[in-house]
Amino acid sequence: MSLMSKLNQKALRQGVPLSVHLDVTYRCNERCEHCYLDHEGDGEMNTAEIKALLDQLAAAGVFFLTISGGEPLIRPDCFEIIEHARKLRFNVKFKTNAVLIREKQAKRLRELNVEQVQISVYSHRAEVHDGISKVPGSLKRTINGIRLLKSQGLKVTIANVLMKGNLQDAEGVRQLAVEVGAHYTLDPTITPMMNGDTSLLRLRISSDSLRTVFQNPDLVGNVEEFCAPPPPVDEDALEGYPCSAGHTACYVSPRGDVYPCVQFPITCGNIREQEFLDIWQNSPQLKEVRAIRGKHLTTCSSCNHLGTCTRCPGLAYMEGNMRGPSTADCEKSYVRTGIISAGMLARANSPSASSLIQIRPYVA
C-alpha cells in the first residue's frame, strides 16, 4: 500500500478533511465555452476572511490545498493568500490559465514552494484554443506562462478537457506537454453549470469518439489494462464509499459556501456563519453523503462496474439522485470495457425516462 493510500485511510477513519479545493474568485479573464461557473465577483470573501478560513482549515487537519478560480491571479491579494497558506504548511496546488504569468509571478510561485501548477490547454492550435477560451492570443500567452514556470523549476500539469471542438487535438496537446516538460492529463467530462444550466452538455464528445480516445495508449497508458473487464464485485466495493467528496475532501466557494465537491452542488454551510470544523463535523448534508456506501446506490449496487466505475455522486445528484447512476460515468465504463452498465440497462428499460439532466432541490 502506498503512503498516500495509508494517509487517506487514516484521514477517513479519523474524519479528517485531508484536502480542500478553494476558489478565491469566480471572476476570470477568459470565457471558456465549457466552464460550469458564473463569473460574478459579488460576495467574494476578502483577504482577512480567506486568511481566517485558512487558519481554520489548518486547525481542522487539512494538508492538501488547491487554490483556484475563476482566475485567482485576478485578485491583487493572490500571492498574499498563497503566502499565508504556505506559512500554515499547506501543500499548495495552484490552478491558473497562466495568461497573467510573467517572470515575476513565476519566480514568486517558486519562492513560495508551490507544489504544482495546473494549467488548462485545449489545443496546440491557437485558432482552436482561443476559440474555446474566447480570448484572442490566449494560447500564446498561456504557453509563455508555462515556459516561465518551468524555467523556475516548478512542476506543471497541462489539463486537457476534451469536447467536440478540440477532440482531434488531444495528441497535439500531449506532444506540447512533452515539449515544455509538463505532465499531461486528459478529461472527457463536461459538467452542467452549478446553477443547473445543462446547455453545456451539448459539448460532450460522442461514445464513438470516446472509444477512440480510450484505445489510444499515448493518451491512457496500458490500453489492455485500462479497458479490462471489471473484476467481480466484492464486499469492499459494497461497503466502500463512492468517492472522497465529503469524506476526506470538500470545496469552498469564493462566497464561503462549503460543498462536498466543486461538482457536487449541495450547500452544507457557510464559513461566514459557522466555523469550518463545525460544518465539517455537523452538517446534515455532509452526514447524509457520508452515510452512503456502495450497497446503498440505486441501480449501481447491482452493477458489474461498481468497484471500478468513476461514478461521480455530484453528477448523479445533478441528474436527480445522489444515490443513482451518473449517465456520463455509465457511458465511460461501457465504452472503456464494452460491458453494459446496470444504469444503461435501466434507462433502456424506461422509454419515458429523459436523458436530460435536471436539478432537484436538496431535501435533508
Side-chain angles (χ1 to χ4, degrees), residues 21 23-31 35-39 44 67-74 95-97 251 254:
H21 178 141
D23 280 347
V24 294
T25 184
Y26 283 157
R27 291 174 291 148
C28 192
N29 50 358
E30 294 185 332
R31 286 295 181 269
C35 185
Y36 52 83
L37 301 172
D38 66 49
H39 294 296
E44 283 182 3
I67 295 177
S68 183
E71 173 48 56
L73 287 172
I74 281 181
K95 291 188 176 183
T96 173
N97 55 39
Y251 164 68

PDB file of all heavy atoms in Angstrom, residues 21 23-31 35-39 44 67-74 95-97 251 254:
ATOM      1  N   HIS A  21     -10.426  22.149  -1.777  1.00  0.00           N
ATOM      2  CA  HIS A  21     -10.341  22.960  -3.001  1.00  0.00           C
ATOM      3  C   HIS A  21     -10.992  24.300  -2.682  1.00  0.00           C
ATOM      4  O   HIS A  21     -12.173  24.354  -2.330  1.00  0.00           O
ATOM      5  CB  HIS A  21     -11.079  22.234  -4.125  1.00  0.00           C
ATOM      6  CG  HIS A  21     -11.124  22.974  -5.433  1.00  0.00           C
ATOM      7  ND1 HIS A  21     -10.983  22.340  -6.645  1.00  0.00           N
ATOM      8  CD2 HIS A  21     -11.307  24.284  -5.736  1.00  0.00           C
ATOM      9  CE1 HIS A  21     -11.078  23.223  -7.624  1.00  0.00           C
ATOM     10  NE2 HIS A  21     -11.274  24.409  -7.089  1.00  0.00           N
ATOM     11  N   ASP A  23     -11.828  28.003  -4.212  1.00  0.00           N
ATOM     12  CA  ASP A  23     -11.881  29.002  -5.275  1.00  0.00           C
ATOM     13  C   ASP A  23     -11.886  30.375  -4.616  1.00  0.00           C
ATOM     14  O   ASP A  23     -12.794  30.691  -3.833  1.00  0.00           O
ATOM     15  CB  ASP A  23     -13.138  28.836  -6.134  1.00  0.00           C
ATOM     16  CG  ASP A  23     -13.005  27.725  -7.166  1.00  0.00           C
ATOM     17  OD1 ASP A  23     -11.880  27.243  -7.387  1.00  0.00           O
ATOM     18  OD2 ASP A  23     -14.032  27.331  -7.749  1.00  0.00           O
ATOM     19  N   VAL A  24     -10.896  31.185  -4.931  1.00  0.00           N
ATOM     20  CA  VAL A  24     -10.813  32.508  -4.295  1.00  0.00           C
ATOM     21  C   VAL A  24     -11.580  33.565  -5.078  1.00  0.00           C
ATOM     22  O   VAL A  24     -11.805  34.679  -4.582  1.00  0.00           O
ATOM     23  CB  VAL A  24      -9.343  32.946  -4.112  1.00  0.00           C
ATOM     24  CG1 VAL A  24      -8.637  32.036  -3.121  1.00  0.00           C
ATOM     25  CG2 VAL A  24      -8.601  32.986  -5.451  1.00  0.00           C
ATOM     26  N   THR A  25     -11.997  33.232  -6.298  1.00  0.00           N
ATOM     27  CA  THR A  25     -12.814  34.123  -7.109  1.00  0.00           C
ATOM     28  C   THR A  25     -13.466  33.327  -8.222  1.00  0.00           C
ATOM     29  O   THR A  25     -12.953  32.276  -8.627  1.00  0.00           O
ATOM     30  CB  THR A  25     -11.975  35.269  -7.725  1.00  0.00           C
ATOM     31  OG1 THR A  25     -12.849  36.172  -8.431  1.00  0.00           O
ATOM     32  CG2 THR A  25     -10.927  34.731  -8.691  1.00  0.00           C
ATOM     33  N   TYR A  26     -14.611  33.812  -8.699  1.00  0.00           N
ATOM     34  CA  TYR A  26     -15.216  33.265  -9.914  1.00  0.00           C
ATOM     35  C   TYR A  26     -14.925  34.159 -11.118  1.00  0.00           C
ATOM     36  O   TYR A  26     -15.229  33.798 -12.252  1.00  0.00           O
ATOM     37  CB  TYR A  26     -16.734  33.125  -9.752  1.00  0.00           C
ATOM     38  CG  TYR A  26     -17.169  31.942  -8.921  1.00  0.00           C
ATOM     39  CD1 TYR A  26     -18.418  31.946  -8.293  1.00  0.00           C
ATOM     40  CD2 TYR A  26     -16.359  30.816  -8.756  1.00  0.00           C
ATOM     41  CE1 TYR A  26     -18.850  30.866  -7.539  1.00  0.00           C
ATOM     42  CE2 TYR A  26     -16.777  29.741  -7.995  1.00  0.00           C
ATOM     43  CZ  TYR A  26     -18.019  29.773  -7.388  1.00  0.00           C
ATOM     44  OH  TYR A  26     -18.436  28.704  -6.641  1.00  0.00           O
ATOM     45  N   ARG A  27     -14.347  35.341 -10.848  1.00  0.00           N
ATOM     46  CA  ARG A  27     -14.003  36.229 -11.949  1.00  0.00           C
ATOM     47  C   ARG A  27     -12.892  35.603 -12.786  1.00  0.00           C
ATOM     48  O   ARG A  27     -12.031  34.897 -12.263  1.00  0.00           O
ATOM     49  CB  ARG A  27     -13.547  37.583 -11.414  1.00  0.00           C
ATOM     50  CG  ARG A  27     -14.656  38.404 -10.779  1.00  0.00           C
ATOM     51  CD  ARG A  27     -14.098  39.658 -10.140  1.00  0.00           C
ATOM     52  NE  ARG A  27     -13.297  39.352  -8.956  1.00  0.00           N
ATOM     53  CZ  ARG A  27     -12.245  40.068  -8.551  1.00  0.00           C
ATOM     54  NH1 ARG A  27     -11.833  41.095  -9.275  1.00  0.00           N
ATOM     55  NH2 ARG A  27     -11.589  39.739  -7.446  1.00  0.00           N
ATOM     56  N   CYS A  28     -12.923  35.867 -14.080  1.00  0.00           N
ATOM     57  CA  CYS A  28     -11.924  35.251 -14.947  1.00  0.00           C
ATOM     58  C   CYS A  28     -11.664  36.147 -16.155  1.00  0.00           C
ATOM     59  O   CYS A  28     -12.553  36.872 -16.615  1.00  0.00           O
ATOM     60  CB  CYS A  28     -12.397  33.877 -15.410  1.00  0.00           C
ATOM     61  SG  CYS A  28     -11.096  32.877 -16.202  1.00  0.00           S
ATOM     62  N   ASN A  29     -10.438  36.087 -16.665  1.00  0.00           N
ATOM     63  CA  ASN A  29     -10.073  36.847 -17.850  1.00  0.00           C
ATOM     64  C   ASN A  29     -10.304  36.046 -19.130  1.00  0.00           C
ATOM     65  O   ASN A  29      -9.967  36.502 -20.224  1.00  0.00           O
ATOM     66  CB  ASN A  29      -8.612  37.298 -17.772  1.00  0.00           C
ATOM     67  CG  ASN A  29      -7.662  36.159 -17.423  1.00  0.00           C
ATOM     68  OD1 ASN A  29      -8.091  35.030 -17.192  1.00  0.00           O
ATOM     69  ND2 ASN A  29      -6.377  36.446 -17.381  1.00  0.00           N
ATOM     70  N   GLU A  30     -10.848  34.834 -18.995  1.00  0.00           N
ATOM     71  CA  GLU A  30     -11.272  34.043 -20.147  1.00  0.00           C
ATOM     72  C   GLU A  30     -12.757  33.732 -19.995  1.00  0.00           C
ATOM     73  O   GLU A  30     -13.323  33.866 -18.905  1.00  0.00           O
ATOM     74  CB  GLU A  30     -10.451  32.755 -20.262  1.00  0.00           C
ATOM     75  CG  GLU A  30      -8.983  32.993 -20.568  1.00  0.00           C
ATOM     76  CD  GLU A  30      -8.201  31.707 -20.798  1.00  0.00           C
ATOM     77  OE1 GLU A  30      -8.591  30.659 -20.245  1.00  0.00           O
ATOM     78  OE2 GLU A  30      -7.194  31.760 -21.532  1.00  0.00           O
ATOM     79  N   ARG A  31     -13.366  33.290 -21.061  1.00  0.00           N
ATOM     80  CA  ARG A  31     -14.788  32.942 -21.050  1.00  0.00           C
ATOM     81  C   ARG A  31     -14.972  31.573 -21.715  1.00  0.00           C
ATOM     82  O   ARG A  31     -15.696  31.446 -22.699  1.00  0.00           O
ATOM     83  CB  ARG A  31     -15.618  34.014 -21.777  1.00  0.00           C
ATOM     84  CG  ARG A  31     -15.786  35.299 -20.998  1.00  0.00           C
ATOM     85  CD  ARG A  31     -16.597  35.079 -19.719  1.00  0.00           C
ATOM     86  NE  ARG A  31     -16.801  36.314 -18.961  1.00  0.00           N
ATOM     87  CZ  ARG A  31     -15.993  36.743 -18.013  1.00  0.00           C
ATOM     88  NH1 ARG A  31     -14.879  36.052 -17.730  1.00  0.00           N
ATOM     89  NH2 ARG A  31     -16.255  37.849 -17.350  1.00  0.00           N
ATOM     90  N   CYS A  35     -17.132  26.218 -19.327  1.00  0.00           N
ATOM     91  CA  CYS A  35     -16.973  26.500 -17.898  1.00  0.00           C
ATOM     92  C   CYS A  35     -18.311  26.395 -17.167  1.00  0.00           C
ATOM     93  O   CYS A  35     -19.330  26.929 -17.614  1.00  0.00           O
ATOM     94  CB  CYS A  35     -16.382  27.888 -17.695  1.00  0.00           C
ATOM     95  SG  CYS A  35     -16.019  28.262 -15.953  1.00  0.00           S
ATOM     96  N   TYR A  36     -18.306  25.729 -16.014  1.00  0.00           N
ATOM     97  CA  TYR A  36     -19.527  25.475 -15.251  1.00  0.00           C
ATOM     98  C   TYR A  36     -19.761  26.518 -14.159  1.00  0.00           C
ATOM     99  O   TYR A  36     -20.712  26.417 -13.387  1.00  0.00           O
ATOM    100  CB  TYR A  36     -19.486  24.082 -14.617  1.00  0.00           C
ATOM    101  CG  TYR A  36     -18.234  23.795 -13.806  1.00  0.00           C
ATOM    102  CD1 TYR A  36     -18.129  24.217 -12.494  1.00  0.00           C
ATOM    103  CD2 TYR A  36     -17.172  23.101 -14.370  1.00  0.00           C
ATOM    104  CE1 TYR A  36     -16.989  23.968 -11.750  1.00  0.00           C
ATOM    105  CE2 TYR A  36     -16.024  22.831 -13.630  1.00  0.00           C
ATOM    106  CZ  TYR A  36     -15.936  23.268 -12.331  1.00  0.00           C
ATOM    107  OH  TYR A  36     -14.806  23.019 -11.607  1.00  0.00           O
ATOM    108  N   LEU A  37     -18.907  27.541 -14.083  1.00  0.00           N
ATOM    109  CA  LEU A  37     -19.036  28.571 -13.058  1.00  0.00           C
ATOM    110  C   LEU A  37     -19.595  29.866 -13.644  1.00  0.00           C
ATOM    111  O   LEU A  37     -19.430  30.143 -14.832  1.00  0.00           O
ATOM    112  CB  LEU A  37     -17.666  28.865 -12.435  1.00  0.00           C
ATOM    113  CG  LEU A  37     -16.950  27.690 -11.766  1.00  0.00           C
ATOM    114  CD1 LEU A  37     -15.537  28.110 -11.380  1.00  0.00           C
ATOM    115  CD2 LEU A  37     -17.716  27.208 -10.547  1.00  0.00           C
ATOM    116  N   ASP A  38     -20.230  30.671 -12.777  1.00  0.00           N
ATOM    117  CA  ASP A  38     -20.544  32.033 -13.210  1.00  0.00           C
ATOM    118  C   ASP A  38     -19.271  32.863 -13.046  1.00  0.00           C
ATOM    119  O   ASP A  38     -18.270  32.386 -12.533  1.00  0.00           O
ATOM    120  CB  ASP A  38     -21.707  32.615 -12.397  1.00  0.00           C
ATOM    121  CG  ASP A  38     -21.360  32.823 -10.924  1.00  0.00           C
ATOM    122  OD1 ASP A  38     -20.306  33.421 -10.633  1.00  0.00           O
ATOM    123  OD2 ASP A  38     -22.137  32.397 -10.047  1.00  0.00           O
ATOM    124  N   HIS A  39     -19.290  34.085 -13.491  1.00  0.00           N
ATOM    125  CA  HIS A  39     -18.075  34.897 -13.407  1.00  0.00           C
ATOM    126  C   HIS A  39     -18.316  36.189 -12.631  1.00  0.00           C
ATOM    127  O   HIS A  39     -17.652  37.196 -12.856  1.00  0.00           O
ATOM    128  CB  HIS A  39     -17.536  35.196 -14.810  1.00  0.00           C
ATOM    129  CG  HIS A  39     -17.064  33.979 -15.540  1.00  0.00           C
ATOM    130  ND1 HIS A  39     -15.993  33.218 -15.099  1.00  0.00           N
ATOM    131  CD2 HIS A  39     -17.520  33.354 -16.657  1.00  0.00           C
ATOM    132  CE1 HIS A  39     -15.811  32.199 -15.919  1.00  0.00           C
ATOM    133  NE2 HIS A  39     -16.726  32.249 -16.867  1.00  0.00           N
ATOM    134  N   GLU A  44     -17.587  37.993  -2.769  1.00  0.00           N
ATOM    135  CA  GLU A  44     -16.319  37.292  -2.529  1.00  0.00           C
ATOM    136  C   GLU A  44     -15.795  37.555  -1.120  1.00  0.00           C
ATOM    137  O   GLU A  44     -15.918  38.666  -0.592  1.00  0.00           O
ATOM    138  CB  GLU A  44     -15.245  37.767  -3.517  1.00  0.00           C
ATOM    139  CG  GLU A  44     -15.352  37.217  -4.898  1.00  0.00           C
ATOM    140  CD  GLU A  44     -14.218  37.712  -5.782  1.00  0.00           C
ATOM    141  OE1 GLU A  44     -13.328  38.440  -5.292  1.00  0.00           O
ATOM    142  OE2 GLU A  44     -14.235  37.378  -6.975  1.00  0.00           O
ATOM    143  N   ILE A  67      -5.750  26.006  -4.684  1.00  0.00           N
ATOM    144  CA  ILE A  67      -6.216  27.378  -4.818  1.00  0.00           C
ATOM    145  C   ILE A  67      -6.513  27.621  -6.293  1.00  0.00           C
ATOM    146  O   ILE A  67      -5.656  27.452  -7.152  1.00  0.00           O
ATOM    147  CB  ILE A  67      -5.169  28.379  -4.305  1.00  0.00           C
ATOM    148  CG1 ILE A  67      -4.971  28.192  -2.795  1.00  0.00           C
ATOM    149  CG2 ILE A  67      -5.577  29.814  -4.619  1.00  0.00           C
ATOM    150  CD1 ILE A  67      -3.911  29.081  -2.189  1.00  0.00           C
ATOM    151  N   SER A  68      -7.762  28.002  -6.564  1.00  0.00           N
ATOM    152  CA  SER A  68      -8.197  28.095  -7.948  1.00  0.00           C
ATOM    153  C   SER A  68      -9.209  29.213  -8.108  1.00  0.00           C
ATOM    154  O   SER A  68      -9.392  30.057  -7.240  1.00  0.00           O
ATOM    155  CB  SER A  68      -8.783  26.737  -8.371  1.00  0.00           C
ATOM    156  OG  SER A  68      -9.158  26.730  -9.732  1.00  0.00           O
ATOM    157  N   GLY A  69      -9.900  29.210  -9.264  1.00  0.00           N
ATOM    158  CA  GLY A  69     -10.923  30.188  -9.554  1.00  0.00           C
ATOM    159  C   GLY A  69     -11.909  29.609 -10.561  1.00  0.00           C
ATOM    160  O   GLY A  69     -12.047  28.392 -10.627  1.00  0.00           O
ATOM    161  N   GLY A  70     -12.481  30.442 -11.355  1.00  0.00           N
ATOM    162  CA  GLY A  70     -12.052  31.670 -11.956  1.00  0.00           C
ATOM    163  C   GLY A  70     -10.547  31.688 -12.197  1.00  0.00           C
ATOM    164  O   GLY A  70      -9.890  30.687 -12.259  1.00  0.00           O
ATOM    165  N   GLU A  71     -10.047  32.876 -12.322  1.00  0.00           N
ATOM    166  CA  GLU A  71      -8.599  33.062 -12.429  1.00  0.00           C
ATOM    167  C   GLU A  71      -8.104  33.722 -11.159  1.00  0.00           C
ATOM    168  O   GLU A  71      -8.336  34.914 -10.933  1.00  0.00           O
ATOM    169  CB  GLU A  71      -8.255  33.910 -13.655  1.00  0.00           C
ATOM    170  CG  GLU A  71      -6.796  34.311 -13.760  1.00  0.00           C
ATOM    171  CD  GLU A  71      -5.839  33.139 -13.551  1.00  0.00           C
ATOM    172  OE1 GLU A  71      -5.961  32.130 -14.285  1.00  0.00           O
ATOM    173  OE2 GLU A  71      -4.985  33.220 -12.649  1.00  0.00           O
ATOM    174  N   PRO A  72      -7.432  32.969 -10.283  1.00  0.00           N
ATOM    175  CA  PRO A  72      -7.029  33.521  -8.980  1.00  0.00           C
ATOM    176  C   PRO A  72      -6.100  34.719  -9.070  1.00  0.00           C
ATOM    177  O   PRO A  72      -6.109  35.578  -8.193  1.00  0.00           O
ATOM    178  CB  PRO A  72      -6.357  32.322  -8.286  1.00  0.00           C
ATOM    179  CG  PRO A  72      -6.034  31.359  -9.376  1.00  0.00           C
ATOM    180  CD  PRO A  72      -7.068  31.542 -10.425  1.00  0.00           C
ATOM    181  N   LEU A  73      -5.302  34.803 -10.148  1.00  0.00           N
ATOM    182  CA  LEU A  73      -4.360  35.914 -10.260  1.00  0.00           C
ATOM    183  C   LEU A  73      -5.051  37.244 -10.535  1.00  0.00           C
ATOM    184  O   LEU A  73      -4.412  38.302 -10.485  1.00  0.00           O
ATOM    185  CB  LEU A  73      -3.331  35.626 -11.354  1.00  0.00           C
ATOM    186  CG  LEU A  73      -2.289  34.565 -10.989  1.00  0.00           C
ATOM    187  CD1 LEU A  73      -1.444  34.203 -12.192  1.00  0.00           C
ATOM    188  CD2 LEU A  73      -1.402  35.039  -9.837  1.00  0.00           C
ATOM    189  N   ILE A  74      -6.347  37.229 -10.801  1.00  0.00           N
ATOM    190  CA  ILE A  74      -7.107  38.478 -10.929  1.00  0.00           C
ATOM    191  C   ILE A  74      -7.142  39.220  -9.594  1.00  0.00           C
ATOM    192  O   ILE A  74      -7.197  40.449  -9.554  1.00  0.00           O
ATOM    193  CB  ILE A  74      -8.531  38.185 -11.448  1.00  0.00           C
ATOM    194  CG1 ILE A  74      -8.488  37.960 -12.965  1.00  0.00           C
ATOM    195  CG2 ILE A  74      -9.500  39.300 -11.099  1.00  0.00           C
ATOM    196  CD1 ILE A  74      -9.823  37.691 -13.591  1.00  0.00           C
ATOM    197  N   LYS A  95      -4.143  26.469  -9.534  1.00  0.00           N
ATOM    198  CA  LYS A  95      -4.746  26.350 -10.860  1.00  0.00           C
ATOM    199  C   LYS A  95      -4.896  27.737 -11.483  1.00  0.00           C
ATOM    200  O   LYS A  95      -5.478  28.638 -10.870  1.00  0.00           O
ATOM    201  CB  LYS A  95      -6.114  25.665 -10.778  1.00  0.00           C
ATOM    202  CG  LYS A  95      -6.037  24.189 -10.413  1.00  0.00           C
ATOM    203  CD  LYS A  95      -7.407  23.525 -10.533  1.00  0.00           C
ATOM    204  CE  LYS A  95      -7.341  22.039 -10.262  1.00  0.00           C
ATOM    205  NZ  LYS A  95      -8.661  21.375 -10.455  1.00  0.00           N
ATOM    206  N   THR A  96      -4.406  27.882 -12.699  1.00  0.00           N
ATOM    207  CA  THR A  96      -4.431  29.154 -13.394  1.00  0.00           C
ATOM    208  C   THR A  96      -4.467  28.901 -14.891  1.00  0.00           C
ATOM    209  O   THR A  96      -4.073  27.822 -15.352  1.00  0.00           O
ATOM    210  CB  THR A  96      -3.185  29.998 -13.036  1.00  0.00           C
ATOM    211  OG1 THR A  96      -3.152  31.183 -13.853  1.00  0.00           O
ATOM    212  CG2 THR A  96      -1.899  29.223 -13.292  1.00  0.00           C
ATOM    213  N   ASN A  97      -4.913  29.894 -15.668  1.00  0.00           N
ATOM    214  CA  ASN A  97      -4.799  29.751 -17.119  1.00  0.00           C
ATOM    215  C   ASN A  97      -3.458  30.265 -17.619  1.00  0.00           C
ATOM    216  O   ASN A  97      -3.158  30.173 -18.818  1.00  0.00           O
ATOM    217  CB  ASN A  97      -5.961  30.444 -17.845  1.00  0.00           C
ATOM    218  CG  ASN A  97      -6.103  31.919 -17.475  1.00  0.00           C
ATOM    219  OD1 ASN A  97      -5.125  32.642 -17.317  1.00  0.00           O
ATOM    220  ND2 ASN A  97      -7.355  32.375 -17.359  1.00  0.00           N
ATOM    221  N   TYR A 251     -15.072  21.323  -0.879  1.00  0.00           N
ATOM    222  CA  TYR A 251     -14.864  22.519  -1.700  1.00  0.00           C
ATOM    223  C   TYR A 251     -15.440  23.732  -0.988  1.00  0.00           C
ATOM    224  O   TYR A 251     -16.510  23.650  -0.373  1.00  0.00           O
ATOM    225  CB  TYR A 251     -15.555  22.323  -3.056  1.00  0.00           C
ATOM    226  CG  TYR A 251     -15.748  23.587  -3.863  1.00  0.00           C
ATOM    227  CD1 TYR A 251     -14.658  24.267  -4.395  1.00  0.00           C
ATOM    228  CD2 TYR A 251     -17.023  24.102  -4.096  1.00  0.00           C
ATOM    229  CE1 TYR A 251     -14.829  25.429  -5.140  1.00  0.00           C
ATOM    230  CE2 TYR A 251     -17.207  25.261  -4.843  1.00  0.00           C
ATOM    231  CZ  TYR A 251     -16.108  25.921  -5.369  1.00  0.00           C
ATOM    232  OH  TYR A 251     -16.281  27.063  -6.099  1.00  0.00           O
ATOM    233  N   PRO A 254     -15.877  31.051  -3.419  1.00  0.00           N
ATOM    234  CA  PRO A 254     -15.390  32.400  -3.071  1.00  0.00           C
ATOM    235  C   PRO A 254     -16.302  33.127  -2.100  1.00  0.00           C
ATOM    236  O   PRO A 254     -15.869  34.068  -1.433  1.00  0.00           O
ATOM    237  CB  PRO A 254     -15.363  33.116  -4.428  1.00  0.00           C
ATOM    238  CG  PRO A 254     -15.308  32.043  -5.454  1.00  0.00           C
ATOM    239  CD  PRO A 254     -16.075  30.897  -4.869  1.00  0.00           C
TER     240      PRO A 254
END
